[in-house]
Amino acid sequence: VGEDLRPMHDEARSVVDDACVSDVILLASPGQIGLAAMVVANEDLQAEQEKRKQAGGEEESQRPIVPNIDLLGYLDSRFADQGNEKARQELRSQISGTCDMLRALREGKYGCGNHGIDIVKLKEVHKKWKKCRGGAEKTKKKKKKKRKAEEGGD
């Protein structure tokens, strides 16, 4: 039961993992990020499924068909009976904004470290970090040796 939603779950999980290593978690609530991740994952899977249909290969029959779920429509129906149209539109707007942020993560925006990494720059930073860290370790070792020498001399 629910295995037809497994691809959407896995894709949404990947989007959430990207969000966790970015600034998005500071800009939106966990619930908004989770729902927006499912919306983005569903859209991506539907686009991929449409491309496969147009290409029309053997892979189409092997891959599971992912149902198209209107998650923003779910929000509308879920909060329709509360009578506050302005609040419902604000919530929908916030979720849409969070979706935009999650889509931008693929371009390396919002500090996401999983996409668009400049390896040369990363290696330079790592080299500098190792030098700083290495110097600190040497200082600690010297202090320990000095303490042992002082303790042994007493």
Side-chain angles (χ1 to χ4, degrees):
V1 177
E3 284 302 312
D4 56 340
L5 298 178
R6 173 69 58 195
M8 188 170 87
H9 170 268
D10 294 342
E11 181 71 21
R13 182 77 186 239
S14 173
V15 172
V16 169
D17 288 345
D18 288 347
C20 286
V21 294
S22 72
D23 296 338
V24 172
I25 58 174
L26 301 172
L27 301 171
S29 71
Q32 290 173 345
I33 292 171
L35 184 58
M38 289 194 302
V39 169
V40 169
N42 191 35
E43 289 172 356
D44 290 349
L45 289 170
Q46 293 305 314
E48 181 183 315
Q49 196 166 287
E50 189 62 34
K51 282 182 186 177
R52 284 196 319 258
K53 276 184 184 177
Q54 290 176 356
E58 293 178 12
E59 291 182 28
E60 182 62 34
S61 61
Q62 294 174 353
R63 289 204 163 181
I65 296 174
V66 180
N68 188 10
I69 301 171
D70 183 14
L71 294 163
L72 294 177
Y74 162 75
L75 277 182
D76 290 340
S77 66
R78 172 70 175 85
F79 298 107
D81 61 342
Q82 293 183 2
N84 194 346
E85 181 66 28
K86 186 177 178 183
R88 195 170 77 214
Q89 289 299 325
E90 178 66 28
L91 179 61
R92 189 179 178 101
S93 174
Q94 288 173 345
I95 297 296
S96 295
T98 305
C99 288
D100 293 340
M101 286 190 282
L102 293 178
R103 286 184 200 102
L105 291 178
R106 295 181 192 129
E107 300 164 11
K109 294 184 179 177
Y110 299 103
C112 182
N114 293 342
H115 301 281
I117 298 172
D118 183 7
I119 297 297
V120 174
K121 194 178 251 187
L122 184 64
K123 285 182 179 180
E124 289 175 13
V125 171
H126 181 68
K127 193 174 185 179
K128 289 178 183 179
W129 177 77
K130 278 178 65 175
K131 284 181 182 178
C132 292
R133 187 171 177 231
E137 288 178 1
K138 289 178 184 176
T139 306
K140 288 180 183 178
K141 287 181 182 178
K142 286 180 182 179
K143 287 181 181 179
K144 285 182 182 179
K145 286 181 182 179
K146 190 174 182 181
R147 280 188 219 140
K148 286 183 181 179
E150 288 175 358
E151 290 173 6
D154 289 340

